[in-house]
Amino acid sequence: MSYVTEFPAATPEDTRQHFLTRLRVETDCADVHHAITHQEQDFVLLHVVGSEAMFARRHLPGAIHLPHTQMSAERMQAWPDGTLFVVYCAGPHCNGADRAALKLASLGLPVKIMIGGITGWEDEGYAFAQGEA
């Protein structure tokens, strides 16, 4: 018996539910890039870590700099009810997007994390924007 088979595989229905749940809370760089470049952006993209200067140097096109530490019920009222927020941070080594997603969900707002963050965006070869949002 190998480490692969030490634990039995989940049932197909358990597997389906697992991945459906992941896709409800995550998106990836390719999907975000496609939405942005094909004028299909039906979400607000939030850059949730770092300073204004860091954001100005490099961020995803169309992103708004809103660190998770500055998110509040009052601040989030700037968007209509039901707005989907997509949050991203520096990359797999950063938990800023997790913190932002938790905060937004705790405020009753729909949110997805863009897995990979800036690192993933760069790895895909996608262009960054500069300057203020």
Side-chain angles (χ1 to χ4, degrees):
M1 178 181 301
S2 71
Y3 286 125
V4 173
T5 59
E6 179 180 4
F7 301 99
T11 66
E13 179 55 24
D14 286 346
T15 302
R16 189 185 79 76
Q17 284 299 322
H18 170 80
F19 287 107
L20 180 59
T21 297
R22 283 190 59 185
L23 290 169
R24 287 179 173 159
V25 298
E26 296 177 350
T27 188
D28 67 12
C29 300
D31 291 343
V32 170
H33 183 265
H34 184 274
I36 291 170
T37 58
H38 289 83
Q39 290 72 49
E40 297 174 355
Q41 187 172 341
D42 51 0
F43 53 88
V44 173
L45 185 59
L46 298 178
H47 181 112
V48 300
V49 295
S51 66
E52 291 282 342
M54 181 185 293
F55 176 81
R57 277 194 302 275
R58 184 171 83 155
H59 59 272
L60 275 58
I64 296 168
H65 184 239
L66 183 58
H68 62 84
T69 56
Q70 297 174 18
M71 293 176 181
S72 66
E74 296 76 27
R75 177 67 179 96
M76 302 316 293
Q77 288 177 353
W79 291 278
D81 287 344
T83 297
L84 172 63
F85 296 94
V86 172
V87 297
Y88 72 92
C89 59
H93 58 283
C94 177
N95 70 1
D98 295 49
R99 291 173 180 272
L102 176 59
K103 187 173 274 189
L104 293 172
S106 296
L107 292 170
L109 301 171
V111 60
K112 289 188 175 193
I113 288 178
M114 185 189 80
I115 57 175
I118 289 175
T119 301
W121 193 264
E122 184 173 41
D123 287 350
E124 294 294 334
Y126 300 140
F128 287 96
Q130 293 180 326
E132 295 180 20

